[in-house]
Structure formats: C-alpha cells, structure tokens
Amino acid sequence: MRIPIIFSTITGNAFRIADAIKEEVPNSIGPYNITYINEDVIHRFHTFVLVYWCNHGTTDDDTIELISKMKNKKILILGTLGASMESEHAKKVYQNVSNLVSEHNILLGNFLCRGAIDLNRTQQRLSIPEGEKGHLSLARFEKQKESLGYPNATDYQNAKEFVKEIFKDYHD
C-alpha cells in the first residue's frame, strides 16, 4: 500500500521537511500540496504522512480541515513552529496536534521542529491595536526573528531519523 506525503506551507518549511523525509517513508508518493487533496485521495489510502505549519497553537487551517475529514486513518504528522522547541508554546502545540489527530484517527507519531516565520507577513500585525485579535507586540516580533535559518540540517536529519524509526517495523 502506498503512503502519500501531504504538506501545507506558506514559507516552504513544511515542503522542505516533506521532501527530506520521503525516502524514509515506505512506498511513499508525493510530497503533494494539501490544496490538491480531495475526498477520493482520503478514501484511497489508509496511512498518511502530513507535514504542516503551526498557527495559533495548533496546525494550520488547511491541515485541520483535512484531518477533520479523515476517520480511522493512520497518521504520522510533522510540523514546523516559529518558537523554540523548549518553550511552553511548543509543548502546547505538540499536545494540541496529538489530540487533533487522535480524536478520530490513529497517531503513528508527532514530530515538531523549529521553522522560519515569514517576517514580512507577521510585521503587518504590528499595526493591529493591542487587545485586538491578531495583535503582535514589537517584543514578540523581535523574538520571531530567532526563527530565521530554520529548519536547519539538524532538523532535517532529526525528522528523517524520526520517520525511519516510526516505519522500521511498519506493516499496513
């Protein structure tokens, strides 16, 4: 049985992770952009590798929508996050994504690494008044700059090793 690798990205981080791990996924096909995934694809396969970008403490909206259409699927999920992996935010994202996938599916594994944030995109949020949805403080914007240069070679290697371990004895 083939295993599709599906990614959702706005910065290219998730695609680069998906591309890096494809050789470690047995009988993989893809990576495919999530915008091209339809109900037929969901029904045709039993196991999926999803690669996403973090948004508001969980996966991006497209990945949430795709997962909501899946039932009793085996899912390995990998994500990129603009914050440090040691942060409370990263722990929250990891748990939220695990819960999301596990609600109606079988979670094979969850991998999260740092990814660069599109600073041009987030800089626009500096003009949103404090207290309003989407506001970004100057201090938080400065903190986001630390994400530049990620994912890096170590992240790609860690993702490959994680995927290889998950699938070492895998039989669908």
Side-chain angles (χ1 to χ4, degrees):
M1 181 59 84
R2 305 297 307 243
I3 300 175
I5 301 170
I6 301 166
F7 68 92
S8 176
T9 193
I10 56 171
T11 60
N13 295 334
F15 169 75
R16 288 188 294 278
I17 292 288
D19 193 53
I21 58 128
K22 67 185 176 190
E23 292 177 12
E24 305 302 335
V25 178
N27 300 313
S28 70
I29 55 173
Y32 297 109
N33 189 302
I34 199 166
T35 59
Y36 299 108
I37 305 305
N38 57 31
E39 295 284 338
D40 182 50
V41 173
I42 294 168
H43 294 325
R44 187 179 311 153
F45 300 97
H46 184 64
T47 303
F48 293 84
V49 175
L50 304 180
V51 188
Y52 68 95
W53 58 280
C54 293
N55 191 28
H56 301 292
T58 188
T59 70
D60 61 276
D61 292 342
D62 290 335
T63 302
I64 290 171
E65 182 179 340
L66 177 61
I67 292 169
S68 74
K69 295 176 183 176
M70 297 176 152
K71 304 291 183 253
N72 300 314
K73 303 295 183 179
K74 293 180 180 177
I75 300 174
L76 173 60
I77 194 154
L78 299 92
T80 63
L81 171 69
S84 165
M85 292 303 96
E86 289 76 38
S87 70
E88 287 302 313
H89 182 64
K91 293 173 189 169
K92 176 183 164 192
V93 168
Y94 184 90
Q95 191 59 56
N96 289 343
V97 171
S98 293
N99 293 343
L100 175 69
V101 172
S102 298
E103 186 174 356
H104 299 290
N105 298 284
I106 300 156
L107 177 64
L108 297 177
N110 183 350
F111 176 87
L112 189 59
C113 70
R114 195 151 200 186
I117 293 174
D118 179 353
L119 296 176
N120 291 326
R121 184 173 163 265
T122 61
Q123 185 176 22
Q124 298 169 8
R125 295 176 41 212
L126 291 170
S127 63
I128 298 173
E130 188 173 346
E132 288 190 24
K133 183 177 180 181
H135 168 75
L136 182 68
S137 70
L138 185 56
R140 186 149 176 233
F141 179 71
E142 289 300 317
K143 191 92 171 139
Q144 288 182 347
K145 290 179 181 179
E146 295 173 10
S147 74
L148 297 177
Y150 290 94
N152 61 26
T154 301
D155 296 316
Y156 296 126
Q157 187 60 39
N158 289 343
K160 288 172 72 169
E161 289 173 13
F162 179 81
V163 171
K164 186 175 185 175
E165 181 65 23
I166 293 294
F167 286 116
K168 74 177 181 182
D169 297 321
Y170 183 78
H171 302 287
D172 192 18

